[in-house]
Amino acid sequence: MATWTNLGLQDSSSPLMEQLNFFHDHTLLILTMITILVGYIMGMLMFNKFTNRYLLHGQTIEIIWTVLPAIILMFIAFPSLRLLYLMDEINTPSITLKSIGHQWYWSYEYSDFLNLEFDSYMIPTNELEMNGFRLLDVDNRIVLPMNNQIRILVTATDVLHSWTVPSLGVKVDATPGRLNQINFLINRPGLFFGQCSEICGANHSFMPIVIE
């Protein structure tokens, strides 16, 4: 979960989130290099007192500053596309969980079992235990196995919601009348917190997700 002064991404708990973290750092490095280069050139232009009266065209430099950004964009695009396809990959799931968004709580169904469904509400602050997390803890947590392929089916009954758990790299829109699915693998034990990430009304901030 996010902690105080944590300016970066959360620690990854799935192989996919690990790859997303690497891609974030890779892109940030490229952006930093571009910013430094452009800043240096702009600084040089401002303080440069020389001029070239005979400069009419610069064919070579124009080719360079057209081709180079295209190559840099390819270094961002290829890893990005690879990750997009990996995120859509559905492997043979060991367990399927159906998540249904309501105003303003989640309900869950374990599709592989008969009659195993429950609602998950946020615990109000006045009912919270001393070791609970305010605005993040729920009365009924999702329990999922680690090192297993898990499929989540996500839908909603009323308005748009979004089922999001940042440390697993999972974010799926819950759309009424539509069933979206995503696949992930949890590679370490723990409590994983998430929240609805689509503005869905007055109590949008108060429908957290907890995976145990």
Side-chain angles (χ1 to χ4, degrees):
M1 65 179 288
T3 50
W4 297 113
T5 69
N6 182 11
L7 301 177
L9 299 168
Q10 292 182 27
D11 291 342
S12 64
S13 306
S14 74
L16 200 61
M17 187 58 194
E18 210 166 278
Q19 291 295 312
L20 285 165
N21 268 334
F22 290 148
F23 176 67
H24 171 267
D25 296 345
H26 166 80
T27 312
L28 200 64
L29 191 68
I30 292 172
L31 289 175
T32 306
M33 291 187 329
I34 291 169
T35 308
I36 290 168
L37 180 68
V38 172
Y40 173 75
I41 292 169
M42 284 176 73
M44 291 295 288
L45 280 170
M46 284 175 190
F47 299 109
N48 180 22
K49 292 183 170 59
F50 298 107
T51 183
N52 186 345
R53 293 189 303 169
Y54 304 106
L55 184 65
L56 298 172
H57 63 85
Q59 200 80 43
T60 313
I61 192 72
E62 281 178 14
I63 290 169
I64 291 167
W65 73 40
T66 305
V67 172
L68 202 63
I71 293 167
I72 291 168
L73 282 174
M74 283 164 67
F75 273 97
I76 296 173
F78 287 135
S80 171
L81 287 168
R82 174 180 160 272
L83 263 177
L84 275 173
Y85 279 102
L86 274 175
M87 288 170 79
D88 275 344
E89 191 78 35
I90 299 292
N91 301 306
T92 311
S94 305
I95 189 168
T96 300
L97 176 71
K98 188 177 181 186
S99 168
I100 305 157
H102 307 265
Q103 286 182 311
W104 287 276
Y105 64 97
W106 295 98
S107 59
Y108 298 100
E109 298 172 11
Y110 284 84
S111 312
D112 304 298
F113 306 98
L114 291 171
N115 302 323
L116 185 47
E117 51 187 76
F118 56 89
D119 296 334
S120 179
Y121 288 88
M122 186 192 79
I123 301 172
T125 308
N126 58 342
E127 295 175 21
L128 204 61
E129 292 179 19
M130 285 297 288
N131 59 351
F133 293 105
R134 182 178 163 272
L135 302 183
L136 280 178
D137 254 328
V138 294
D139 54 358
N140 292 312
R141 292 170 174 168
I142 311 160
V143 178
L144 291 172
M146 61 179 268
N147 293 328
N148 279 280
Q149 290 293 339
I150 298 155
R151 175 173 57 185
I152 306 278
L153 303 174
V154 184
T155 188
T157 55
D158 36 45
V159 296
L160 288 175
H161 299 280
S162 186
W163 198 86
T164 306
V165 182
S167 62
L168 298 176
V170 175
K171 183 169 187 166
V172 200
D173 279 352
T175 313
R178 182 188 174 99
L179 206 59
N180 291 327
Q181 72 171 350
I182 198 159
N183 199 75
F184 62 87
L185 180 141
I186 304 170
N187 60 9
R188 62 191 176 105
L191 278 181
F192 308 112
F193 294 89
Q195 288 174 301
C196 175
S197 296
E198 186 75 58
I199 294 175
C200 57
N203 291 339
H204 158 67
S205 312
F206 310 114
M207 46 184 299
I209 299 151
V210 184
I211 298 177
E212 190 175 322

